[in-house]
């Protein structure tokens, strides 16, 4: 198959190029840009120099349809919402890495993203692509709303508890940390080297736009879930997310039973690994991979369950999960093109 990437000059687009280049069922990758038509990508990113040259093409839905079978949209908010309806009408499969299609209710999207929502028909036609929990829906979908990076780590960590109704659904606290690549390629004061190096910051307190995405999916699993406390921090590293999740148990449970349940739930999920007793994951252990590693424990003294979930925000939190969804959509092995182990150290 031939695939297209709109937004290939951002970090998510670059990861798509890196991973799709290794995909045995991808014949050609064609990259598109709204403002840099004709620019060879290796002029901007010398690490792409080699036998293949990706030259950016203009964004024209009719021309894209003639070129490719599936389009990955690694675009800023707002672009996908406008472009997806035209691509879908032309029969293309669309995997959207932006947040435009993740929120089901337009008014909720507009309140958090501060911009006009995509057409309702497009939003309702999109399947939320949390692969481990949506395989059947993804296999039949034409449009995938790829989850955000924070929600991926959080939801994979919370799903076994929420679906089993083992925790108080109204007292969930999420303490999450991310590397600076999660803020995108465009520089800002918050990601400036002088501001970020040897520093540790909380940001968008009670305002992070991934909050409604997390709450929406939790409500799909358990209608009694309340609003979550979701705090996000930047740490001085490039890649990685660690979500530390706190929830109160609402019934008697042993730590052994808890861990065995997590292991059972993810037994058939090749990219999710549950740690053994007394072990907890670090971001370096998933660096560059499509893996999510999870550690879980129960404190009898406080009656509190703690889940630690780590991912690479650019892979499992973006491009890798998008390709995982691409595989499921097309009936390929879920791991195709994503088998590589993490980079360590």
């Amino acid at each position: 198959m031939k695939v297209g990437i709109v937004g290939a000059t951002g970090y998510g687009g670059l990861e798509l190029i890196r991973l799709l280049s290794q995909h045995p069922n991808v014949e050609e990758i064609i990259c598109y840009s709204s403002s840099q038509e004709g620019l060879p990508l290796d002029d901007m990113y010398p690490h792409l120099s080699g036998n293949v040259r990706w030259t950016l093409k203009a964004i024209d839905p009719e021309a894209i349809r003639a070129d490719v079978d599936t389009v990955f949209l690694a675009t800023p908010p707002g672009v996908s919402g406008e472009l997806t309806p035209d691509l879908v009408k032309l029969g293309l499969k669309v995997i959207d890495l932006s947040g435009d299609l993740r929120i089901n209710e337009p008014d909720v999207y507009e309140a958090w993203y501060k911009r006009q929502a995509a057409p309702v028909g497009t939003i309702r036609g999109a399947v939320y692509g949390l692969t481990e929990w949506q395989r059947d829906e993804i296999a039949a979908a034409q449009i995938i709303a790829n989850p955000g990076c924070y929600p991926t780590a959080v939801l994979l960590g919370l799903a076994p508890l929420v679906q089993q109704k083992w925790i108080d659904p109204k007292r969930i606290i999420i303490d999450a940390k991310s590397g600076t690549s999660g803020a995108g390629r465009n520089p800002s004061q918050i990601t400036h080297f002088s501001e970020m190096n040897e520093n540790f910051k909380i940001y968008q307190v009670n305002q992070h736009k991934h909050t409604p995405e997390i709450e929406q999916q939790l409500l799909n699993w358990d209608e009694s879930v309340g609003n979550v406390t979701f705090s996000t921090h930047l740490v001085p590293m490039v890649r990685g997310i660690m979500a530390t999740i706190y929830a109160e148990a609402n019934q008697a449970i042993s730590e052994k039973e808890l861990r065995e349940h997590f292991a059972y739930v993810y037994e058939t999920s090749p990219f999710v690994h549950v740690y053994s007793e007394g072990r907890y994951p670090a971001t370096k252990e998933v660096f560059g991979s499509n893996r999510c590693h999870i550690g879980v424990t129960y404190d009898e003294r406080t009656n509190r369950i703690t889940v630690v979930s780590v991912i690479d925000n650019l892979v499992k939190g973006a491009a890798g999960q998008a390709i995982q969804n691409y595989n499921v959509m097309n009936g390929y092995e879920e791991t195709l093109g994503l088998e590589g182990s993490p980079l360590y150290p």
Side-chain angles (χ1 to χ4, degrees):
M1 297 180 71
K2 296 182 179 181
V3 301
I5 301 172
V6 179
T9 59
Y11 291 151
L14 290 174
E15 280 295 272
L16 284 169
I17 291 173
R18 178 175 76 88
L19 296 168
L20 288 169
S21 297
Q22 307 168 46
H23 198 293
N25 289 7
V26 172
E27 176 186 352
E28 186 177 358
I29 304 166
I30 301 174
C31 301
Y32 302 91
S33 171
S34 60
S35 60
Q36 296 172 302
E37 177 187 358
L39 177 72
L41 265 176
D42 58 4
D43 282 3
M44 184 182 301
Y45 293 108
H47 75 280
L48 293 177
S49 301
N51 295 328
V52 178
R53 297 205 83 189
W54 287 279
T55 300
L56 296 169
K57 300 180 71 171
I59 299 174
D60 177 345
E62 293 283 354
I64 292 173
R65 178 63 190 95
D67 288 341
V68 306
D69 307 289
T70 301
V71 182
F72 294 87
L73 301 177
T75 55
V79 177
S80 169
E82 295 180 3
L83 188 57
T84 299
D86 294 333
L87 298 173
V88 170
K89 286 178 185 176
L90 294 168
L92 286 161
K93 292 182 178 180
V94 174
I95 301 174
D96 178 29
L97 280 72
S98 81
D100 282 5
L101 308 180
R102 297 174 191 155
I103 307 301
N104 292 337
E105 300 302 326
D107 59 335
V108 175
Y109 174 90
E110 290 169 1
W112 286 85
Y113 280 77
K114 312 302 181 187
R115 64 176 64 247
Q116 185 174 346
V120 173
T122 303
I123 296 171
R124 301 286 163 80
V127 170
Y128 189 65
L130 190 66
T131 323
E132 284 74 15
W133 294 96
Q134 307 284 144
R135 288 187 181 96
D136 291 343
E137 295 90 339
I138 291 166
Q142 185 179 2
I143 311 171
I144 297 294
N146 214 56
C149 50
Y150 279 126
T152 296
V154 170
L155 293 170
L156 289 175
L158 272 172
L161 299 174
V162 172
Q163 295 206 24
Q164 199 72 6
K165 299 184 186 296
W166 275 354
I167 58 175
D168 183 336
K170 300 189 184 302
R171 302 185 68 181
I172 297 172
I173 298 173
I174 304 154
D175 181 38
K177 290 97 174 172
S178 174
T180 57
S181 61
R185 183 169 183 261
N186 292 330
S188 65
Q189 181 175 347
I190 194 171
T191 58
H192 190 289
F193 180 82
S194 298
E195 300 277 345
M196 194 64 244
N197 187 46
E198 298 184 15
N199 202 358
F200 184 23
K201 302 178 182 180
I202 190 169
Y203 70 104
Q204 295 183 9
V205 180
N206 300 327
Q207 298 177 355
H208 199 285
K209 61 189 178 184
H210 285 168
T211 304
E213 181 182 341
I214 293 169
E215 292 176 347
Q216 175 180 274
Q217 186 58 37
L218 292 177
L219 283 167
N220 286 340
W221 292 331
D222 181 354
E223 293 180 352
S224 64
V225 170
N227 295 334
V228 302
T229 297
F230 177 49
S231 299
T232 55
H233 308 74
L234 277 180
V235 296
M237 64 183 185
V238 175
R239 292 173 181 253
I241 282 177
M242 175 179 284
T244 306
I245 303 159
Y246 306 96
E248 291 191 20
N250 59 12
Q251 63 184 68
I253 188 172
S254 70
E255 181 159 328
K256 181 175 182 291
E257 183 181 9
L258 186 66
R259 189 174 295 102
E260 287 178 349
H261 175 64
F262 269 76
Y264 170 76
V265 164
Y266 289 120
E267 186 177 18
T268 59
S269 296
F271 295 115
V272 181
H273 174 63
V274 180
Y275 279 45
S276 58
E277 182 180 359
R279 294 190 61 220
Y280 304 94
T283 57
K284 197 71 173 177
E285 293 160 9
V286 297
F287 189 95
S289 78
N290 195 52
R291 300 184 183 185
C292 174
H293 288 188
I294 295 174
V296 59
T297 189
Y298 172 65
D299 185 351
E300 293 182 3
R301 187 177 62 87
T302 61
N303 191 42
R304 189 167 291 124
I305 296 169
T306 301
V307 181
V308 183
S309 173
V310 301
I311 63 170
D312 183 316
N313 56 292
L314 293 179
V315 190
K316 184 58 173 169
Q321 185 161 223
I323 295 168
Q324 190 179 352
N325 287 327
Y326 168 79
N327 288 337
V328 175
M329 289 173 83
N330 289 288
Y332 303 151
E333 286 292 328
E334 192 172 317
T335 58
L336 209 59
L338 297 169
E339 298 94 339
S341 64
L343 302 173
Y344 197 92

